Amino acid sequence: MNTIREAYSKNKGPGVRKANTWLHTLTGFFLGWIFYLIFFTGTFSFYREEMMLWAWPESHLSTAAEVQDFNSIGSYLDTYAQDSPQWSIMMPSDRSPITKVRYYDEGERPSKHGGHNVTIDSATGEQIDSRDSRLMSKMVQAHYMLFGMGKHLGLTVVGIITMVMFVALISGVIIHRKIFKDFFTFRPKRGQMSWQDMHNVTGVVALPYHFVFIFSGLLLTVFLLNPWGIQGAMEGDEKAFRELNGGKMGLTIPDMPLNPVTRLPVTEGTSAVLNSIHSQWNERQDGKIAMIMFSNPGTPKQQIVIRGERNNDLASGAKAPSWSFNAEGELVKATQPAPPPSSIIAFKNILEQAHQQLYAGPIARAIYFLGGLLGCIMIATGSIMWVQKREKRKRNAAPTKSVLRAKFLNVATIVGLPASMLIAFWANRIIPAGLDMRMNLELFTWYGAWVAMFIHAYYVGSDKAWRQQTQLIVLLSISLAIYNIFIQYPLLGIGSGFTWLQVPLMIKLIDISFIAIAAVALYCLKFMPKKEREVQLEETVNA
């Protein structure tokens, strides 16, 4: 706190720029490392579907864009899930060529993370014995829930942090005297000036991205942070608010211009129903089916829901149309996204969809991924610059406790987080596919590896830790790429003569990206100190 008071004393005064300099420093000092975690996992989440597919290497054999054989899927469900309260079939998409089936045990309550997940080869309809892994979904979940919190608490905490992040962004813009000049200024090999220039450039180049994503992230949690508006205007009725907020509007059958599926042969079995849906849809609809869900299958209460792909109308929330059928196979309800009731809700929907990126194509996703990387660099350089400024002020004195803590937290967060994720990726590859609790082992490996990075940085000192953890990133990245490209598929024995050249394009790009990560890490090693310059934290405390 002495450092903060010192910074405030030096910068206090009537000037708006000086006051915002103090505010920018304060918010970055306390929450910069959590900002980095949220930005890094958020950037990673732009390719969550592709990374989830990467985590199931047994499924890379499936490359069909559409399901070619529904008979095997229907037979599987009739055999293994006949007493299940619910089945759902997630169809292949442009981002994931596999078909995913989920069913629940008799008496089990359907939930997002429960049930049995089965991977189906879209070309043959046969089951793929894929490893149980939710590592990628947990990494994405850390973006909006952090760790060890329930959904409500996690979203609330991240919402508060996002609000502070927005304050840091606005104050950072205010303190720039020459924001457009900073766009073209970079002085390499100039120590603190280079870090300052990199912080400015990455902040200015991606400034629209930072504003849109931080503000839209705040919008996604605004009703958790301020629920009193709904309570006052809607008397606490959240369902009514969701309907007002551009929710789906149920349309009667005559109001639909053309229903892609009108009646289902439910008496002929599951395979006949699935094949009928497929044939009727292809005759009357241009888009693809996203999901087919059976509730209470084989009972008088059976309901079948077909959901189409999300539309690209961001103002309506980029929602998906759906069609519901009763136990006799008759169409009883058709819904389609309703237009927003007001320009304010349309504006909110557009920003929220811009944040979640459920609609984005490959080019948009790549641009946003680049913007996220720039945001990570901006936060990282800001944290490093904070330390360097204070070291320069007291060059001949021992570092203060706050500076030493900040140095080891910088290392363990900026390079320790990606290193721990790479270790978890290796765990995904080497933990046997049929091992019980392998999913939890992957997660414990990630958490444990990141904790180890903090411990390592604390005990060996930040200068050594920078080099050693970056070297670890190089080793993990290049070895992972070699394993995936040359060793993995013959070792797994999937497909006759199946090689890396036959996998989907995005899987190839992910594996190649590991080589790029190793190259960037090697380049960064050139600028890292080779000798230890600092006094250990314990020595400073004992002095």
Side-chain angles (χ1 to χ4, degrees):
M1 290 304 296
N2 291 333
T3 306
I4 300 300
R5 283 196 293 268
E6 181 182 327
Y8 178 75
S9 299
K10 185 175 180 180
N11 293 299
K12 71 178 182 178
V16 174
R17 186 172 285 114
K18 287 186 177 181
N20 278 276
T21 299
W22 170 81
L23 183 61
H24 189 71
T25 302
L26 179 70
T27 53
F29 175 76
F30 281 112
L31 293 174
W33 304 289
I34 303 180
F35 292 169
Y36 183 86
L37 168 64
I38 292 173
F39 247 82
F40 193 88
T41 52
T43 302
F44 175 84
S45 71
F46 288 135
Y47 291 102
R48 53 188 174 272
E49 292 291 333
E50 292 79 3
M51 287 302 300
M52 287 177 186
L53 180 64
W54 180 89
W56 301 322
E58 296 85 359
S59 67
H60 296 173
L61 185 64
S62 179
T63 57
E66 295 185 6
V67 176
Q68 307 297 321
D69 183 4
F70 282 99
N71 292 322
S72 297
I73 298 175
S75 298
Y76 181 90
L77 290 171
D78 286 335
T79 302
Y80 295 100
Q82 58 181 348
D83 296 322
S84 172
Q86 187 181 98
W87 309 333
S88 61
I89 305 170
M90 301 297 296
M91 309 301 261
S93 66
D94 295 335
R95 298 177 63 185
S96 179
I98 59 174
T99 302
K100 290 171 277 188
V101 174
R102 174 178 288 178
Y103 66 92
Y104 301 87
D105 291 327
E106 184 178 5
E108 182 182 359
R109 183 177 179 182
S111 64
K112 186 176 181 180
H113 300 293
H116 301 274
N117 294 289
V118 181
T119 306
I120 303 294
D121 187 336
S122 301
T124 64
E126 299 297 327
Q127 180 183 355
I128 299 173
D129 293 326
S130 183
R131 60 196 63 198
D132 186 14
S133 176
R134 292 183 185 169
L135 177 64
M136 305 307 165
S137 61
K138 287 295 182 181
M139 287 181 174
V140 172
Q141 201 175 80
H143 170 65
Y144 58 89
M145 286 174 55
L146 300 180
F147 304 104
M149 302 182 188
K151 183 176 181 180
H152 189 276
L153 178 60
L155 284 169
T156 303
V157 171
V158 170
I160 295 170
I161 293 170
T162 304
M163 191 183 303
V164 178
M165 196 187 301
F166 197 53
V167 171
L169 180 64
I170 294 173
S171 59
V173 172
I174 293 173
I175 64 178
H176 275 298
R177 295 181 179 179
K178 301 175 182 178
I179 191 167
F180 294 106
K181 183 180 179 181
D182 289 338
F183 188 91
F184 302 100
T185 303
F186 182 68
R187 294 162 288 187
K189 299 180 181 180
R190 297 288 296 275
Q192 184 182 319
M193 287 183 180
S194 298
W195 291 115
Q196 178 76 62
D197 290 343
M198 192 177 295
H199 184 70
N200 292 341
V201 168
T202 53
V204 173
V205 168
L207 188 60
Y209 171 95
H210 301 327
F211 264 111
V212 168
F213 275 79
I214 294 175
F215 183 65
S216 59
L218 189 58
L219 278 181
L220 287 167
T221 60
V222 67
F223 295 111
L224 282 173
L225 302 178
N226 183 11
W228 300 284
I230 297 176
Q231 292 175 1
M234 300 285 182
E235 298 181 351
D237 189 347
E238 294 187 9
K239 184 177 180 181
F241 174 75
R242 284 194 297 269
E243 289 297 324
L244 178 64
N245 190 28
K248 294 177 182 177
M249 181 184 297
L251 301 178
T252 60
I253 295 172
D255 291 331
M256 279 300 251
L258 180 64
N259 292 297
V261 181
T262 55
R263 189 174 180 86
L264 299 178
V266 293
T267 59
E268 299 177 20
T270 306
S271 297
V273 170
L274 294 175
N275 284 315
S276 176
I277 291 172
H278 183 250
S279 61
Q280 291 186 63
W281 184 281
N282 286 342
E283 289 176 3
R284 305 176 185 177
Q285 193 81 357
D286 293 330
K288 294 182 180 180
I289 301 173
M291 186 187 74
I292 303 172
M293 185 174 68
F294 291 71
S295 297
N296 303 305
T299 70
K301 295 182 179 180
Q302 176 175 266
Q303 183 183 36
I304 302 172
V305 177
I306 304 170
R307 186 172 298 164
E309 290 183 313
R310 292 175 178 270
N311 62 25
N312 292 325
D313 183 6
L314 303 187
S316 67
K319 293 182 173 65
S322 65
W323 295 265
S324 300
F325 300 81
N326 61 17
E328 285 74 38
E330 298 172 341
L331 179 61
V332 293
K333 184 180 180 183
T335 66
Q336 63 180 5
S342 70
S343 57
I344 294 175
I345 290 179
F347 176 73
K348 175 180 177 293
N349 287 341
I350 289 171
L351 284 177
E352 287 182 351
Q353 292 307 311
H355 189 99
Q356 294 176 325
Q357 289 295 298
L358 298 175
Y359 70 93
I363 296 176
R365 195 171 290 109
I367 292 172
Y368 291 131
F369 181 79
L370 178 61
L373 288 180
L374 291 174
C376 293
I377 296 171
M378 177 187 69
I379 296 168
T381 51
S383 298
I384 293 170
M385 195 166 55
W386 187 94
V387 169
Q388 289 204 344
K389 280 186 177 180
R390 279 141 192 85
E391 283 188 322
K392 188 175 181 181
R393 290 177 193 169
K394 301 180 179 181
R395 181 169 295 177
N396 298 322
T400 62
K401 289 185 287 185
S402 61
V403 169
L404 284 174
R405 288 193 182 107
K407 290 182 76 172
F408 100 82
L409 286 172
N410 279 350
V411 180
T413 304
I414 295 170
V415 294
L417 175 60
S420 67
M421 292 173 74
L422 287 167
I423 291 172
F425 293 163
W426 259 115
N428 171 265
R429 289 304 192 246
I430 64 177
I431 297 175
L435 188 67
D436 291 338
M437 303 294 289
R438 77 171 309 281
M439 180 181 69
N440 291 332
L441 283 175
E442 284 183 350
L443 296 177
F444 293 152
T445 300
W446 179 33
Y447 302 152
W450 199 17
V451 170
M453 297 301 155
F454 282 93
I455 296 172
H456 171 260
Y458 180 87
Y459 281 104
V460 306
S462 65
D463 288 343
K464 284 184 179 178
W466 274 115
R467 291 193 63 82
Q468 292 174 0
Q469 292 189 19
T470 304
Q471 288 167 348
L472 180 62
I473 288 176
V474 174
L475 177 63
L476 291 169
S477 299
I478 199 69
S479 60
L480 195 57
I482 292 171
Y483 176 82
N484 289 335
I485 295 172
F486 299 107
I487 302 173
Q488 174 175 234
Y489 299 106
L491 192 65
L492 291 174
I494 58 171
S496 176
F498 185 79
T499 67
W500 180 79
L501 295 175
Q502 296 169 264
V503 303
L505 176 61
M506 277 308 304
I507 303 300
K508 291 189 182 81
L509 293 177
I510 290 170
D511 290 333
I512 292 172
S513 71
F514 290 127
I515 301 175
I517 291 169
V520 171
L522 273 173
Y523 180 77
C524 292
L525 279 170
K526 293 171 54 179
F527 304 98
M528 293 183 182
K530 297 181 179 180
K531 295 182 179 180
E532 183 64 24
R533 300 175 303 178
E534 67 180 26
V535 180
Q536 290 295 325
L537 179 59
E538 296 92 339
E539 295 177 5
T540 303
V541 173
N542 295 330

